[in-house]
Amino acid sequence: MATFLHRAARWAFRKRRTVVLVWLAVIAAAVVGAVNAPAAPEESSSMPGIESQQAFDLINERFPGAAADGAQARIVFVAKDGQQVTSAGNRAAIDQLVDAATKGPQVAQATSPFTTDAVSTDGTTAYATVTYKVPADDLTDASKAALDKGIEQARRSGLTVEAGGSAVSSQPEQGLGEALGVVVAAVVLVITFGSMAAAGLPLLTALLGIAVSLAGITALSSAFGFSSSVGQLAIMLGLAVGIDYSLFVVSRYREERAKGRPAPEATAMAVGTAGSAVVFAGLTVIIALLGLSVIGVPMLTKMGVGSAFAVLVGVLVALTVVPALLGFWPNAVLSRRTRKATSHDGVPTTQTASGNGAQENKVGRGGKAPLGVRWARFVTRRAVPVLLLSVVGLGALAIPSLDLRLGMPGDEAKSTSTTERRAYDALADGFGPGFNGPLTVVVDTKTAHDPKAAVQAVSDQIAHTKGVVSVSPPRFNQAGNAAILSAVPSTAPTSRQTQDLVRSIRDERPAIASATGADFKVTGTTALNIDIAQKMQDALAPYLAVIVSLAMLLLMIVFRSILVPLKAALGFLLSVGAALGVIVLVFQQGHGAAAFGIDETGPIISIMPLFLVGIIFGLAMDYQVFLVTRIREAHLHGEGTGQSIVTGFRHSARVVGAAAVIMMSVFGAFMTGGENLVKMVGFGLAGAVFFDAFIVRMAFVPAVLALLGKRAWQLPRWLDELLPRVDVEGETLVQQTATPDAPSEPVAVPYR
């Protein structure tokens, strides 16, 4: 692989104009496709294989035209202090809204609170339900405008009117996001490289990558069902890895130039060595993201595919566009000292290569060794306390993850500035928290001897179940072989008690079916979210096992070792546990939530842990490869255990640290706005990168390697012969091009 990338980089360096033109054509094609593509669909919570989805399918089958997934708006009316919603004036205003809503476009029916007993006991609150013929995705602007107009007219009567439900959706506030992440990344790159050009090149290529990936995702949004969240997450991940991958290549290029290699050969060596690590790291991220598709959750699959596409584009840009741009400006990315010492033909002088450049690797400013070198020496001398402290610290942070509770937060998690949240609160105050998440029960009476008696038996049993406030009268279909009931819990939709209630109702099913011959299924938004959460929780451990096993195999191939992969897997688990623990602390338990702009705490979004595990796996492999390959390279050159760790940190610690800060900045910036899922993912990934890069890779890894010594790099002979060889370090290239003055291919334009 290293040899192939070496040749590809030399070609990209020579044919730089062709490479740039091809990528500009790709951008143009993607943008044209995005502009002409239909609008992206809204998120869908459908999921095959769970009871709630089976119940939805049964409703669509037995109640044709009812649209089980049809949009619904619940309009809540609250009278002024001392008044009743049943007073003549308030009642007239409510009836007027219901009548207008009934005549609205795409409306299936609108129910009045005065005919459905939807008035609170104290008479201060009431609600009307508007059901549409189509899902929320297919509602037209005219339908939404008609509903908004009716609500505004009702408010003029003096009533407080709020609306919630799938038909009512407010756009989340947009934060600084990408812009803030790019600004912080630029500052970090300038500090790291000491050159505006060197800092600008990774930013430029990363922006190119996300432009292509975002335009491509937008162009395919209708065909593949990509929603806005898919695009946001793809930008987040694509921007982070795009900057990092280009950063590693540019850093290695500067290192090769400091050794005395001419620009074409330095570019080829940088891509052949650092580029090999980029390919490996990128593939691990892509595999982990695509692996989300095996779980069987459409939403999760789409997020994984979209993000994997963004990572793939980032890898391709780093391997092609970066060497092409280095061909245009081979000296601009070098440090000022190296540029001054570079001869007119673009080759650093012998003094720079053998003296200043080498010296810069050994000492930092003011004659001191670089911080990474000093830290590596500290860890190798105090390996046991560093190891214990890192393991105990991350383990302590992981403890809250044992209380992980999954769910799909609804309107209760939105800001109080939204009408959905105010409607939720008003309904909970007037009727109890369970009214915000009624359970829908569909009864299949096809095999029952007396369908009406069977449905009544189901209704009576559910009504007497502890935790149920009320059960609505049954509504039969025309064929008389199915009926729908609505059961209102006494607790909030996301509470543990409601989860237990759904399980209790389902546990009663065998006895009822045996006595009546009728079967029933529980569904509705609340039950659907509970089922999704359970499926995600059940899939977490197997998915984690697959990811860890894959990491072990890949790292055994790369590092020709058993203990190093074991160490990496343990470090990965520590990072995952700590990241999930911190998420639970903030988003579920509420510790420090206000400081991060979190309005409401509650269960962790169901797909979050699986998505987080997949991404953390890829990022952990990034730092593992870029750091440990340099340590192994020094070990292969004959250095002792402690010295090889110091050498590896000398070459890679600063770059890995800069890459981690950039990733944390990009991920953290997405907490300034956007949807809850994006904010939670941004927070979780920023924390995971910190734990993995600065604690696991910078403390845990060198401490373990120092304690293992030479045993870390041992591999049984039979396994060594069995595993394929992948030259990620580019050792073959180093041997082939050991002489810096080796002839290189001519360059058509003079160096600037």
Side-chain angles (χ1 to χ4, degrees), residues 401-456:
S401 65
L402 299 176
D403 187 41
L404 177 66
R405 184 161 56 92
L406 300 181
M408 292 296 289
D411 291 343
E412 78 282 359
K414 295 183 178 180
S415 169
T416 53
S417 62
T418 64
T419 185
E420 301 100 296
R421 170 61 186 279
R422 294 194 296 269
Y424 180 96
D425 292 341
L427 200 60
D429 292 340
F431 297 89
F435 270 79
N436 284 294
L439 304 175
T440 300
V441 181
V442 54
V443 186
D444 183 0
T445 61
K446 204 170 186 177
T447 59
H449 299 294
D450 187 345
K452 290 187 177 180
V455 171
Q456 188 60 50

Side-chain angles (χ1 to χ4, degrees), residues 190 192-198 254 331-343 348 352 356 360 365:
V190 170
T192 302
F193 285 135
S195 165
M196 293 296 293
R254 283 160 56 101
N331 293 338
V333 299
L334 304 178
S335 65
R336 184 176 302 177
R337 176 183 297 182
T338 306
R339 286 200 303 270
K340 288 182 179 180
T342 300
S343 62
T352 303
N356 296 345
E360 285 178 359
R365 295 179 181 177

